[in-house]
Amino acid sequence: MYNRYGDMSKFVTDLDLLELSRDGTVCISAEEDYDIAVDLEDSYASFNELRLYIALLAARICELDNIVQRFSRKKRLKERGYKCLPSFVGVVWFDYAQSTEDNPAPQGKTFPYDLAFVYLEKPNFVTLDYWHHTENAQLDVVFERREDRFFLRRYGAVAHIPDDWEAD
């Protein structure tokens, strides 16, 4: 499932082609392709101010999605027991047995969510809203942008994710 949003021809990365719809969204991929939109209803700035950032997100969406999938697989390496993730506020213990997923082992092979909306509610932060393929479930993932890099900060209920979470 990695690089599933890798076909850049399906994304709007040209600033002049980005359009704000009546409902306050900007489609960065067509409905027949990936159907991903940026929702600007509660954004921190106007469409014209965010136009360049939206084009950058469209160009980097595959990279961000790959990070989300890697974290999803890494947090479920064990079916039982605990995984220690260092955190800015101490140590986060993720309980695999209490995971929101009943049977993580079979689901670990494919990522069961598709990206639906992108939200820009705070400067330097972007929220990706994923929708489950078969269940009525959503997954919110938050990234922080510093300079030209994006850092995973929250994956569902798992918060305070450090920069070096992939190091172990």
Short mmCIF file of all heavy atoms in Angstrom, two decimals, residues 78-128:
data_model
loop_
_atom_site.label_atom_id
_atom_site.label_comp_id
_atom_site.label_asym_id
_atom_site.label_seq_id
_atom_site.Cartn_x
_atom_site.Cartn_y
_atom_site.Cartn_z
N LYS A 78 3.65 -6.04 17.87
CA LYS A 78 3.32 -7.16 18.75
C LYS A 78 1.81 -7.24 18.89
O LYS A 78 1.14 -6.22 18.95
CB LYS A 78 3.92 -6.94 20.13
CG LYS A 78 5.42 -6.86 20.15
CD LYS A 78 5.88 -6.59 21.56
CE LYS A 78 7.37 -6.39 21.62
NZ LYS A 78 7.81 -6.03 22.97
N GLU A 79 1.28 -8.45 18.94
CA GLU A 79 -0.16 -8.60 19.12
C GLU A 79 -0.55 -8.41 20.57
O GLU A 79 -1.65 -7.98 20.88
CB GLU A 79 -0.62 -9.98 18.64
CG GLU A 79 -0.55 -10.12 17.15
CD GLU A 79 -1.07 -11.46 16.72
OE1 GLU A 79 -2.06 -11.95 17.30
OE2 GLU A 79 -0.48 -12.03 15.79
N ARG A 80 0.31 -8.74 21.48
CA ARG A 80 0.04 -8.64 22.91
C ARG A 80 1.20 -7.88 23.56
O ARG A 80 2.30 -7.84 23.04
CB ARG A 80 -0.07 -10.01 23.55
CG ARG A 80 -1.18 -10.84 22.95
CD ARG A 80 -2.42 -10.72 23.83
NE ARG A 80 -3.47 -11.57 23.30
CZ ARG A 80 -4.55 -11.09 22.73
NH1 ARG A 80 -4.72 -9.82 22.58
NH2 ARG A 80 -5.48 -11.91 22.29
N GLY A 81 0.95 -7.33 24.70
CA GLY A 81 2.01 -6.67 25.43
C GLY A 81 2.03 -5.18 25.19
O GLY A 81 1.06 -4.60 24.72
N TYR A 82 3.15 -4.57 25.47
CA TYR A 82 3.26 -3.13 25.41
C TYR A 82 4.43 -2.72 24.53
O TYR A 82 5.43 -3.42 24.43
CB TYR A 82 3.48 -2.55 26.81
CG TYR A 82 2.32 -2.80 27.73
CD1 TYR A 82 2.26 -3.93 28.52
CD2 TYR A 82 1.26 -1.90 27.79
CE1 TYR A 82 1.19 -4.15 29.37
CE2 TYR A 82 0.18 -2.12 28.62
CZ TYR A 82 0.16 -3.24 29.41
OH TYR A 82 -0.90 -3.46 30.23
N LYS A 83 4.31 -1.58 23.95
CA LYS A 83 5.38 -0.98 23.16
C LYS A 83 5.68 0.36 23.79
O LYS A 83 4.79 1.15 24.04
CB LYS A 83 4.91 -0.81 21.72
CG LYS A 83 5.79 0.04 20.85
CD LYS A 83 7.03 -0.66 20.47
CE LYS A 83 7.82 0.18 19.48
NZ LYS A 83 9.18 -0.22 19.38
N CYS A 84 6.92 0.64 24.04
CA CYS A 84 7.31 1.90 24.66
C CYS A 84 7.66 2.91 23.57
O CYS A 84 8.50 2.63 22.72
CB CYS A 84 8.50 1.66 25.57
SG CYS A 84 9.17 3.14 26.29
N LEU A 85 7.00 4.04 23.58
CA LEU A 85 7.34 5.14 22.68
C LEU A 85 7.79 6.32 23.53
O LEU A 85 7.06 6.75 24.41
CB LEU A 85 6.12 5.57 21.85
CG LEU A 85 5.61 4.61 20.81
CD1 LEU A 85 4.31 5.12 20.23
CD2 LEU A 85 6.63 4.41 19.72
N PRO A 86 9.00 6.84 23.30
CA PRO A 86 9.40 8.02 24.05
C PRO A 86 8.50 9.19 23.69
O PRO A 86 7.92 9.23 22.62
CB PRO A 86 10.84 8.27 23.60
CG PRO A 86 10.99 7.51 22.34
CD PRO A 86 9.97 6.41 22.33
N SER A 87 8.36 10.12 24.60
CA SER A 87 7.45 11.23 24.39
C SER A 87 8.01 12.48 25.03
O SER A 87 8.85 12.42 25.93
CB SER A 87 6.10 10.88 24.99
OG SER A 87 5.31 12.00 25.15
N PHE A 88 7.52 13.64 24.58
CA PHE A 88 7.94 14.91 25.16
C PHE A 88 7.47 15.05 26.61
O PHE A 88 8.04 15.80 27.38
CB PHE A 88 7.37 16.09 24.37
CG PHE A 88 7.88 16.15 22.96
CD1 PHE A 88 7.02 16.05 21.90
CD2 PHE A 88 9.22 16.29 22.71
CE1 PHE A 88 7.49 16.11 20.60
CE2 PHE A 88 9.71 16.35 21.42
CZ PHE A 88 8.83 16.26 20.36
N VAL A 89 6.42 14.35 26.97
CA VAL A 89 5.86 14.46 28.33
C VAL A 89 6.18 13.24 29.17
O VAL A 89 5.56 13.00 30.19
CB VAL A 89 4.33 14.68 28.29
CG1 VAL A 89 4.00 16.01 27.68
CG2 VAL A 89 3.63 13.55 27.58
N GLY A 90 7.17 12.47 28.78
CA GLY A 90 7.53 11.27 29.53
C GLY A 90 7.56 10.08 28.60
O GLY A 90 8.08 10.15 27.51
N VAL A 91 6.98 8.99 29.03
CA VAL A 91 6.96 7.77 28.22
C VAL A 91 5.51 7.39 27.98
O VAL A 91 4.70 7.36 28.90
CB VAL A 91 7.70 6.62 28.94
CG1 VAL A 91 7.55 5.33 28.17
CG2 VAL A 91 9.17 6.98 29.10
N VAL A 92 5.19 7.11 26.74
CA VAL A 92 3.85 6.67 26.38
C VAL A 92 3.90 5.15 26.24
O VAL A 92 4.71 4.63 25.50
CB VAL A 92 3.41 7.29 25.03
CG1 VAL A 92 2.08 6.72 24.60
CG2 VAL A 92 3.34 8.79 25.14
N TRP A 93 3.05 4.48 26.98
CA TRP A 93 2.94 3.04 26.85
C TRP A 93 1.70 2.73 26.03
O TRP A 93 0.61 3.04 26.43
CB TRP A 93 2.83 2.38 28.22
CG TRP A 93 4.10 2.49 28.99
CD1 TRP A 93 4.44 3.48 29.87
CD2 TRP A 93 5.21 1.62 28.93
NE1 TRP A 93 5.69 3.27 30.35
CE2 TRP A 93 6.19 2.12 29.79
CE3 TRP A 93 5.49 0.46 28.22
CZ2 TRP A 93 7.41 1.51 29.97
CZ3 TRP A 93 6.70 -0.16 28.41
CH2 TRP A 93 7.65 0.37 29.28
N PHE A 94 1.89 2.14 24.88
CA PHE A 94 0.77 1.80 24.03
C PHE A 94 0.41 0.35 24.29
O PHE A 94 1.24 -0.54 24.11
CB PHE A 94 1.12 2.03 22.56
CG PHE A 94 -0.05 1.83 21.66
CD1 PHE A 94 -1.02 2.79 21.56
CD2 PHE A 94 -0.19 0.66 20.93
CE1 PHE A 94 -2.12 2.61 20.74
CE2 PHE A 94 -1.28 0.47 20.12
CZ PHE A 94 -2.24 1.44 20.03
N ASP A 95 -0.79 0.09 24.71
CA ASP A 95 -1.27 -1.25 25.04
C ASP A 95 -1.88 -1.88 23.80
O ASP A 95 -2.96 -1.51 23.37
CB ASP A 95 -2.30 -1.16 26.17
CG ASP A 95 -2.78 -2.53 26.62
OD1 ASP A 95 -2.44 -3.52 25.98
OD2 ASP A 95 -3.50 -2.57 27.62
N TYR A 96 -1.19 -2.84 23.22
CA TYR A 96 -1.70 -3.49 22.01
C TYR A 96 -2.97 -4.27 22.28
O TYR A 96 -3.85 -4.34 21.44
CB TYR A 96 -0.64 -4.44 21.44
CG TYR A 96 0.54 -3.73 20.90
CD1 TYR A 96 1.62 -3.43 21.71
CD2 TYR A 96 0.58 -3.30 19.58
CE1 TYR A 96 2.71 -2.75 21.22
CE2 TYR A 96 1.66 -2.63 19.09
CZ TYR A 96 2.73 -2.36 19.91
OH TYR A 96 3.79 -1.67 19.43
N ALA A 97 -3.08 -4.86 23.47
CA ALA A 97 -4.27 -5.64 23.80
C ALA A 97 -5.50 -4.74 23.89
O ALA A 97 -6.62 -5.18 23.66
CB ALA A 97 -4.06 -6.39 25.11
N GLN A 98 -5.32 -3.47 24.23
CA GLN A 98 -6.43 -2.53 24.35
C GLN A 98 -6.56 -1.66 23.10
O GLN A 98 -7.20 -0.63 23.12
CB GLN A 98 -6.23 -1.63 25.58
CG GLN A 98 -6.18 -2.40 26.88
CD GLN A 98 -7.47 -3.13 27.15
OE1 GLN A 98 -8.55 -2.61 26.94
NE2 GLN A 98 -7.36 -4.38 27.60
N SER A 99 -5.94 -2.09 22.02
CA SER A 99 -6.01 -1.34 20.78
C SER A 99 -7.46 -1.22 20.33
O SER A 99 -8.29 -2.06 20.63
CB SER A 99 -5.21 -2.07 19.69
OG SER A 99 -5.40 -1.47 18.44
N THR A 100 -7.76 -0.17 19.57
CA THR A 100 -9.12 0.01 19.08
C THR A 100 -9.45 -1.03 18.02
O THR A 100 -10.59 -1.19 17.65
CB THR A 100 -9.30 1.41 18.48
OG1 THR A 100 -8.33 1.60 17.45
CG2 THR A 100 -9.17 2.48 19.54
N GLU A 101 -8.46 -1.74 17.54
CA GLU A 101 -8.69 -2.78 16.55
C GLU A 101 -8.76 -4.12 17.26
O GLU A 101 -7.90 -4.46 18.05
CB GLU A 101 -7.57 -2.77 15.52
CG GLU A 101 -7.52 -1.44 14.79
CD GLU A 101 -6.17 -1.19 14.17
OE1 GLU A 101 -5.31 -2.08 14.23
OE2 GLU A 101 -5.99 -0.11 13.64
N ASP A 102 -9.79 -4.91 16.99
CA ASP A 102 -9.99 -6.18 17.67
C ASP A 102 -8.95 -7.23 17.30
O ASP A 102 -8.54 -8.02 18.10
CB ASP A 102 -11.38 -6.75 17.36
CG ASP A 102 -12.48 -5.89 17.95
OD1 ASP A 102 -12.23 -5.23 18.97
OD2 ASP A 102 -13.57 -5.88 17.38
N ASN A 103 -8.53 -7.22 16.04
CA ASN A 103 -7.60 -8.24 15.58
C ASN A 103 -6.51 -7.57 14.74
O ASN A 103 -6.57 -7.58 13.52
CB ASN A 103 -8.37 -9.28 14.75
CG ASN A 103 -7.50 -10.46 14.42
OD1 ASN A 103 -6.36 -10.55 14.83
ND2 ASN A 103 -8.07 -11.39 13.66
N PRO A 104 -5.49 -7.01 15.38
CA PRO A 104 -4.53 -6.24 14.63
C PRO A 104 -3.65 -7.04 13.67
O PRO A 104 -3.18 -6.50 12.70
CB PRO A 104 -3.66 -5.58 15.70
CG PRO A 104 -4.02 -6.20 16.97
CD PRO A 104 -5.27 -6.96 16.80
N ALA A 105 -3.43 -8.31 13.92
CA ALA A 105 -2.52 -9.08 13.07
C ALA A 105 -2.96 -9.12 11.60
O ALA A 105 -2.20 -8.75 10.73
CB ALA A 105 -2.33 -10.48 13.62
N PRO A 106 -4.18 -9.55 11.25
CA PRO A 106 -4.57 -9.58 9.85
C PRO A 106 -4.65 -8.19 9.23
O PRO A 106 -4.35 -8.00 8.07
CB PRO A 106 -5.95 -10.23 9.85
CG PRO A 106 -6.11 -10.86 11.17
CD PRO A 106 -5.20 -10.13 12.10
N GLN A 107 -5.05 -7.20 10.03
CA GLN A 107 -5.20 -5.86 9.49
C GLN A 107 -3.85 -5.19 9.27
O GLN A 107 -3.75 -4.22 8.56
CB GLN A 107 -6.04 -5.00 10.43
CG GLN A 107 -7.46 -5.47 10.53
CD GLN A 107 -8.20 -4.72 11.61
OE1 GLN A 107 -7.68 -3.82 12.23
NE2 GLN A 107 -9.44 -5.12 11.85
N GLY A 108 -2.80 -5.73 9.90
CA GLY A 108 -1.48 -5.13 9.78
C GLY A 108 -0.91 -5.22 8.38
O GLY A 108 0.02 -4.53 8.06
N LYS A 109 -1.48 -6.09 7.55
CA LYS A 109 -0.95 -6.27 6.20
C LYS A 109 -1.39 -5.16 5.25
O LYS A 109 -0.67 -4.80 4.34
CB LYS A 109 -1.37 -7.63 5.67
CG LYS A 109 -0.73 -8.75 6.47
CD LYS A 109 -1.15 -10.10 5.98
CE LYS A 109 -0.50 -11.15 6.88
NZ LYS A 109 -1.26 -12.33 7.02
N THR A 110 -2.58 -4.64 5.42
CA THR A 110 -3.06 -3.54 4.58
C THR A 110 -3.59 -2.43 5.47
O THR A 110 -4.16 -2.69 6.52
CB THR A 110 -4.17 -3.99 3.62
OG1 THR A 110 -5.27 -4.47 4.37
CG2 THR A 110 -3.69 -5.06 2.66
N PHE A 111 -3.42 -1.23 5.03
CA PHE A 111 -3.89 -0.07 5.78
C PHE A 111 -5.34 0.16 5.39
O PHE A 111 -5.64 0.45 4.23
CB PHE A 111 -3.02 1.14 5.45
CG PHE A 111 -3.27 2.32 6.33
CD1 PHE A 111 -2.99 2.28 7.67
CD2 PHE A 111 -3.78 3.49 5.79
CE1 PHE A 111 -3.21 3.38 8.49
CE2 PHE A 111 -4.00 4.60 6.60
CZ PHE A 111 -3.71 4.54 7.95
N PRO A 112 -6.30 0.05 6.34
CA PRO A 112 -7.72 0.05 5.99
C PRO A 112 -8.36 1.42 5.84
O PRO A 112 -9.58 1.54 5.88
CB PRO A 112 -8.34 -0.70 7.17
CG PRO A 112 -7.48 -0.33 8.32
CD PRO A 112 -6.09 -0.23 7.76
N TYR A 113 -7.58 2.47 5.68
CA TYR A 113 -8.11 3.82 5.59
C TYR A 113 -7.68 4.50 4.29
O TYR A 113 -6.61 4.21 3.75
CB TYR A 113 -7.58 4.69 6.75
CG TYR A 113 -8.07 4.28 8.10
CD1 TYR A 113 -7.37 3.35 8.87
CD2 TYR A 113 -9.24 4.82 8.63
CE1 TYR A 113 -7.82 2.98 10.13
CE2 TYR A 113 -9.69 4.45 9.89
CZ TYR A 113 -8.98 3.54 10.62
OH TYR A 113 -9.43 3.17 11.86
N ASP A 114 -8.53 5.40 3.82
CA ASP A 114 -8.20 6.27 2.69
C ASP A 114 -8.23 7.71 3.16
O ASP A 114 -9.10 8.09 3.96
CB ASP A 114 -9.21 6.10 1.54
CG ASP A 114 -9.02 4.81 0.78
OD1 ASP A 114 -7.86 4.37 0.62
OD2 ASP A 114 -10.02 4.23 0.35
N LEU A 115 -7.35 8.51 2.64
CA LEU A 115 -7.31 9.92 2.99
C LEU A 115 -8.49 10.63 2.33
O LEU A 115 -8.72 10.48 1.13
CB LEU A 115 -5.99 10.55 2.54
CG LEU A 115 -5.78 12.01 2.85
CD1 LEU A 115 -5.92 12.30 4.33
CD2 LEU A 115 -4.41 12.45 2.35
N ALA A 116 -9.24 11.40 3.11
CA ALA A 116 -10.42 12.10 2.58
C ALA A 116 -10.24 13.62 2.61
O ALA A 116 -10.43 14.29 1.61
CB ALA A 116 -11.67 11.71 3.37
N PHE A 117 -9.88 14.16 3.79
CA PHE A 117 -9.76 15.60 3.93
C PHE A 117 -8.45 15.99 4.60
O PHE A 117 -7.90 15.25 5.42
CB PHE A 117 -10.91 16.17 4.76
CG PHE A 117 -12.22 16.18 4.06
CD1 PHE A 117 -13.16 15.18 4.31
CD2 PHE A 117 -12.53 17.16 3.13
CE1 PHE A 117 -14.37 15.17 3.64
CE2 PHE A 117 -13.74 17.15 2.47
CZ PHE A 117 -14.66 16.16 2.72
N VAL A 118 -8.00 17.19 4.26
CA VAL A 118 -6.84 17.81 4.89
C VAL A 118 -7.35 19.09 5.53
O VAL A 118 -8.11 19.84 4.91
CB VAL A 118 -5.75 18.12 3.84
CG1 VAL A 118 -4.58 18.83 4.48
CG2 VAL A 118 -5.31 16.84 3.13
N TYR A 119 -6.92 19.35 6.78
CA TYR A 119 -7.35 20.55 7.50
C TYR A 119 -6.12 21.38 7.89
O TYR A 119 -5.11 20.82 8.30
CB TYR A 119 -8.12 20.19 8.78
CG TYR A 119 -9.40 19.44 8.50
CD1 TYR A 119 -9.44 18.06 8.57
CD2 TYR A 119 -10.56 20.12 8.17
CE1 TYR A 119 -10.62 17.36 8.30
CE2 TYR A 119 -11.74 19.43 7.91
CZ TYR A 119 -11.75 18.06 7.98
OH TYR A 119 -12.91 17.38 7.71
N LEU A 120 -6.25 22.69 7.75
CA LEU A 120 -5.17 23.62 8.09
C LEU A 120 -5.70 24.61 9.13
O LEU A 120 -5.93 25.77 8.82
CB LEU A 120 -4.70 24.36 6.83
CG LEU A 120 -4.26 23.48 5.67
CD1 LEU A 120 -4.01 24.30 4.43
CD2 LEU A 120 -3.02 22.70 6.06
N GLU A 121 -5.90 24.14 10.34
CA GLU A 121 -6.53 24.96 11.38
C GLU A 121 -5.53 25.79 12.17
O GLU A 121 -5.90 26.77 12.79
CB GLU A 121 -7.35 24.08 12.30
CG GLU A 121 -8.50 23.42 11.56
CD GLU A 121 -9.19 22.32 12.35
OE1 GLU A 121 -8.63 21.88 13.38
OE2 GLU A 121 -10.27 21.90 11.92
N LYS A 122 -4.26 25.39 12.20
CA LYS A 122 -3.22 26.11 12.93
C LYS A 122 -2.01 26.26 12.02
O LYS A 122 -1.71 25.36 11.24
CB LYS A 122 -2.79 25.35 14.18
CG LYS A 122 -3.85 25.12 15.20
CD LYS A 122 -3.27 24.31 16.35
CE LYS A 122 -4.32 23.91 17.34
NZ LYS A 122 -3.78 23.02 18.37
N PRO A 123 -1.29 27.38 12.15
CA PRO A 123 -0.05 27.52 11.37
C PRO A 123 0.93 26.40 11.71
O PRO A 123 1.03 25.99 12.87
CB PRO A 123 0.50 28.88 11.81
CG PRO A 123 -0.65 29.60 12.39
CD PRO A 123 -1.57 28.55 12.96
N ASN A 124 1.60 25.89 10.72
CA ASN A 124 2.61 24.84 10.85
C ASN A 124 2.06 23.48 11.26
O ASN A 124 2.84 22.57 11.56
CB ASN A 124 3.72 25.26 11.82
CG ASN A 124 4.42 26.51 11.37
OD1 ASN A 124 4.60 26.72 10.17
ND2 ASN A 124 4.75 27.37 12.30
N PHE A 125 0.75 23.31 11.30
CA PHE A 125 0.16 22.01 11.61
C PHE A 125 -0.84 21.65 10.52
O PHE A 125 -1.57 22.51 10.03
CB PHE A 125 -0.54 22.00 12.97
CG PHE A 125 0.42 21.97 14.12
CD1 PHE A 125 0.91 23.15 14.65
CD2 PHE A 125 0.84 20.77 14.65
CE1 PHE A 125 1.80 23.13 15.70
CE2 PHE A 125 1.73 20.74 15.71
CZ PHE A 125 2.22 21.92 16.23
N VAL A 126 -0.86 20.39 10.16
CA VAL A 126 -1.81 19.89 9.17
C VAL A 126 -2.45 18.62 9.72
O VAL A 126 -1.75 17.78 10.29
CB VAL A 126 -1.13 19.66 7.80
CG1 VAL A 126 -0.01 18.65 7.89
CG2 VAL A 126 -2.13 19.23 6.75
N THR A 127 -3.75 18.51 9.60
CA THR A 127 -4.48 17.33 10.05
C THR A 127 -4.98 16.57 8.83
O THR A 127 -5.62 17.15 7.95
CB THR A 127 -5.67 17.72 10.95
OG1 THR A 127 -5.18 18.43 12.07
CG2 THR A 127 -6.43 16.49 11.42
N LEU A 128 -4.69 15.28 8.79
CA LEU A 128 -5.18 14.42 7.73
C LEU A 128 -6.33 13.61 8.32
O LEU A 128 -6.18 12.97 9.37
CB LEU A 128 -4.08 13.49 7.23
CG LEU A 128 -2.79 14.14 6.75
CD1 LEU A 128 -1.82 13.07 6.25
CD2 LEU A 128 -3.06 15.15 5.66
#
